[in-house]
Amino acid sequence: TDGKHLYVFFGKSGVFCLDLEGKVVWTSSVGEKTRGWGSSNSPVLYKNLLIINASVESGRLLALDKSTGKEVWTVGQIRGSWNTPILAQVPGGGVELVVSLPQQVRGLDPATGKQLWTCQGIPDRGYVCPSVVADGGVVYAIGGRQNTALAIKLGGRGDVTSSHLLWKANRGSNVSSPVIADGRLHWFHERRGTAYCLNAKTGEIVYESRLAPRPGLVYSSILHADGKLYCISQHNGTYVVATGPEFKLLAHNTFADDDNRTNACPVAHNGQLLLRTDGYLYCLGKK
């Protein structure tokens, strides 16, 4: 939302702009193709543009005019990318749009879609789900089936693999995205029930610890809020972990009367936690 309108992406059903009373202002189709997993990207607002990763629907990354829904630019050959692009600040000025693809990370000009740089990415020929994260002029990408994490310095041009790839580690996650907290990169592995923490500058493993009780599948990404890490498993509740250099489980919470699956990421707002299962939307915190 830009405070005046809400922008949502429903895969082959299209992109919708609504006012804050729920009235549809415009709709736009970005492709008709489908996959068994469906879509898993969020729209990105940049100035007057709404950027959509339509990898599944049409193999494109594109930008729509947020006022009209008309296409402003489009980039092809976007395959196997189930992640939301991010807007990353370049030291010294400027913004780059960064998206993770199988075997490649791309940096683009968000205003025009022009490709600025490419770098060796997650060595998976099929798909990449986790979104990249950025901090201090560096973007971090992870992938799961090949268990890879890497760091790329922003601001390059052309193929920057030999000049801007800062480090690479053999740890990853197949679905959930990482977060940066206090100079450390954190994520939970979706199947192993393992919490990973890496030094963001060096890629050195700070810790890797199994969660207890075992979470089962974890598709939700970590939320960093209130100095803590919140992660929700599909069927075994929410895990709250400290952000320090040592693993410390602070809490494990479940809803005794709700056994619905949870894939959605939690959201922090005004000191409260918004959490959605397949059956309910919750607001947790003090009134």
Side-chain angles (χ1 to χ4, degrees):
T1 182
D2 58 5
K4 297 180 179 179
H5 296 94
L6 182 70
Y7 304 91
V8 292
F9 177 36
F10 290 126
K12 76 166 189 173
S13 298
V15 182
F16 288 71
C17 171
L18 302 91
D19 65 23
L20 299 187
E21 299 299 319
K23 179 182 177 181
V24 176
V25 178
W26 56 256
T27 66
S28 180
S29 174
V30 294
E32 300 293 328
K33 296 181 180 179
T34 61
R35 288 287 296 271
W37 294 317
S39 295
S40 183
N41 308 314
S42 299
V44 176
L45 280 167
Y46 176 73
K47 296 183 178 179
N48 66 319
L49 299 178
L50 185 71
I51 298 169
I52 303 291
N53 181 354
S55 171
V56 171
E57 295 72 24
S58 58
R60 296 183 298 156
L61 186 65
L62 56 104
L64 307 175
D65 185 305
K66 76 172 187 177
S67 299
T68 65
K70 302 296 183 183
E71 188 175 297
V72 176
W73 58 255
T74 183
V75 175
Q77 297 184 325
I78 305 295
R79 307 290 183 186
S81 178
W82 263 268
N83 56 85
T84 300
I86 68 160
L87 296 168
Q89 296 288 333
V90 181
V95 177
E96 295 179 350
L97 180 72
V98 185
V99 63
S100 185
L101 308 171
Q103 305 185 75
Q104 186 183 76
V105 178
R106 292 190 194 179
L108 304 97
D109 180 346
T112 65
K114 177 183 177 182
Q115 183 170 290
L116 303 175
W117 55 264
T118 63
C119 184
Q120 179 187 96
I122 306 304
D124 192 316
R125 294 184 179 275
Y127 60 87
V128 177
C129 294
S131 299
V132 300
V133 293
D135 182 63
V138 177
V139 290
Y140 302 87
I142 64 174
R145 294 195 299 179
Q146 299 299 324
N147 288 320
T148 302
L150 51 86
I152 306 166
K153 183 180 178 180
L154 294 167
R157 293 296 181 267
D159 187 341
V160 301
T161 303
S162 61
S163 58
H164 287 60
L165 181 59
L166 301 178
W167 55 256
K168 194 172 182 180
N170 62 341
R171 295 293 187 276
S173 169
N174 196 35
V175 179
S176 58
S177 303
V179 295
I180 294 282
D182 302 326
R184 291 179 288 272
L185 190 66
H186 296 266
W187 71 85
F188 289 2
H189 194 280
E190 80 286 347
R191 290 186 182 276
R192 297 174 182 170
T194 302
Y196 288 107
C197 176
L198 272 64
N199 184 307
K201 287 187 176 181
T202 65
E204 179 183 2
I205 298 170
V206 179
Y207 68 72
E208 49 183 291
S209 298
R210 289 289 182 95
L211 297 169
R214 294 294 295 275
L217 283 176
V218 176
Y219 279 11
S220 170
S221 298
I222 289 179
L223 167 69
H224 177 216
D226 191 31
K228 306 175 185 69
L229 304 174
Y230 297 83
C231 187
I232 304 171
S233 66
Q234 280 193 346
H235 292 288
N236 199 23
T238 302
Y239 294 79
V240 185
V241 175
T243 57
E246 296 182 0
F247 176 76
K248 184 178 181 181
L249 181 65
L250 301 177
H252 171 240
N253 303 306
T254 62
F255 296 116
D257 56 352
D258 184 1
D259 60 358
N260 286 283
R261 181 186 64 174
T262 303
N263 281 335
C265 302
V267 174
H269 178 68
N270 287 343
Q272 297 173 327
L273 191 66
L274 301 175
L275 188 155
R276 178 173 64 83
T277 71
D278 282 0
Y280 299 93
L281 174 66
Y282 297 89
C283 178
L284 307 175
K286 296 180 180 179
K287 293 183 179 181

